[in-house]
Amino acid sequence: GRDPTMRIDTLRWSAPDQRWDGPRTDPAPQLVLHFGPTDVLAEGGPYRALHARFPHAAIVGCSAGSQILGDDVDDDATVAAVLHFDRARVRANATSLSDAADSFEAGVRLATPLMSYDLAGVLVLSDGLGVNGTRLVAGITATLGERVPLSGGLAGDGPRFARTVVGLDEVPATGRVVLVGLYGASLRFSHAAVGGWDAFGPPRRITRSTDSVLHELDGRPALDLYERYLGEEAAGLPGTALLYPLRIWDPARPAEAVVRTVLAVDRDARTMTFAGDVPEGWTAQLMRGSHEHLVRGAERAAADADARCEVVGDGARLALLVSCVGRRLLMGQRTADEVEAVGDALGARTVRVGFYSYGEIAGRDVDTRCDLHNQTMTVTLIDEAVA
């Protein structure tokens, strides 16, 4: 008999032994994804061991606060997925980001070499703090067009917000962005992003903002409003603001709302910096989460992605899960509930790996353009058809 279409092995890093534990893997995969705590990845052991074992693969990694492997969510684990396609091809590209103002151009630089008639989907992993995710996605989409599915996320650093690292065929470092292009008619790529947060408080107008920096809501300092709502939790900003993301929308297109997470606060200037643009004139509303609604949202994202992915393969199927660190902080020890709900919706053939990010990138549905989301669970399914 022939080999199955797509083979996936998962590995877990053993820090004491400085080695990857797991099954004997395929010697020549095309792509290896790995996620782990910032310090572990930046130290370089995991990357060097992967490179020694898979010298010809594209090895892509990013930091996170918490990693996902199967049903497990673990803040300390470093995990990897080793992907071997039957006929699909992989081409990856990395760039450095000097500062957030370079985000659009970085997207163009990364996407240009990937352009091809048979490009089936693109994964993006970006530095999580020094980037404007909205502009990065816009640069990629302007180059590749809106038809090519794009998904991925911004690297994380748990609740610390100190530094994030990303790397392609190198020890992951700060200020890096990686694009992975997946090519070929055999490839199937689908994704969905669902939040499950509930709005509260009145809608407010964004009266002053600069790109991703919010100055005023309804003419008053943005930070004043947040501190009033957060009460004694305000001392823990920006971390505690993850529990109260902002839903924003263009009044002319209320159906296309996106959710934004706070990355930093400036207590003197009374401003807040978000993971993507918060345009002046848009409407904003505070959100809060309940465990049950978030788990149901994750389940819906999995079901939506699954419905769009025709079952064509006879091998494994990858589910890349990128959820938000805000969800992790809110759900605490019960975070695995959302990962298990996704697993139940996707079935046994699907291998789940992923991370908790500072921003999730996915199209909301097949017809809308890709965008930066925050506070969602995004599910990206990659499968390969039988010849």
Side-chain angles (χ1 to χ4, degrees), residues 7-11 20-28 53-54 82:
R7 300 196 292 288
I8 305 171
D9 295 300
T10 59
L11 306 173
W20 288 94
D21 291 333
R24 276 190 64 82
T25 47
D26 188 298
R53 191 157 159 185
F54 309 115
V82 180

Side-chain angles (χ1 to χ4, degrees), residues 119-241:
L119 180 59
V122 173
L123 296 175
V124 54
L125 293 177
S126 168
D127 185 275
L129 294 170
V131 69
N132 181 323
T134 312
R135 298 295 166 89
L136 174 68
V137 170
I140 297 168
T141 307
T143 309
L144 298 178
E146 298 197 347
R147 300 264 315 278
V148 176
L150 173 72
S151 72
L154 309 185
D157 187 33
R160 289 177 297 277
F161 290 92
R163 66 172 179 149
T164 63
V165 296
V166 176
L168 163 67
D169 298 335
E170 65 188 341
V171 173
T174 304
R176 301 288 283 164
V177 188
V178 174
L179 271 199
V180 180
L182 302 163
Y183 299 83
S186 65
L187 208 74
R188 298 292 179 270
F189 191 103
S190 73
H191 51 51
V194 177
W197 295 76
D198 307 308
F200 78 104
R204 298 169 190 278
R205 190 177 158 82
I206 299 175
T207 43
R208 196 154 79 83
S209 66
T210 318
D211 298 332
S212 59
V213 181
L214 177 62
H215 299 271
E216 293 177 0
L217 290 167
D218 290 344
R220 313 237 300 281
L223 194 54
D224 291 6
L225 174 78
Y226 257 85
E227 289 186 343
R228 200 170 78 233
Y229 272 102
L230 289 176
E232 60 264 28
E233 287 180 59
L237 285 167
T240 45

Side-chain angles (χ1 to χ4, degrees), residues 297-336:
E299 196 172 27
R300 202 163 80 237
D304 287 356
D306 192 45
R308 290 176 199 144
C309 195
E310 30 173 331
V311 178
V312 283
D314 58 0
R317 171 173 78 161
L318 180 74
L320 175 64
L321 310 184
V322 183
S323 190
C324 181
V325 65
R327 300 168 73 91
R328 172 83 181 105
L329 293 179
L330 185 79
M331 292 197 266
Q333 295 306 308
R334 295 165 66 202
T335 310

Side-chain angles (χ1 to χ4, degrees), residues 316-367:
R317 171 173 78 161
L318 180 74
L320 175 64
L321 310 184
V322 183
S323 190
C324 181
V325 65
R327 300 168 73 91
R328 172 83 181 105
L329 293 179
L330 185 79
M331 292 197 266
Q333 295 306 308
R334 295 165 66 202
T335 310
D337 291 358
E338 77 166 359
V339 177
E340 287 169 18
V342 167
D344 291 344
L346 295 178
R349 190 169 75 88
T350 308
V351 176
R352 284 163 293 147
V353 64
F355 65 100
Y356 281 79
S357 78
Y358 284 172
E360 305 81 56
I361 294 166
R364 269 160 295 194
D365 55 54
V366 174
D367 311 317

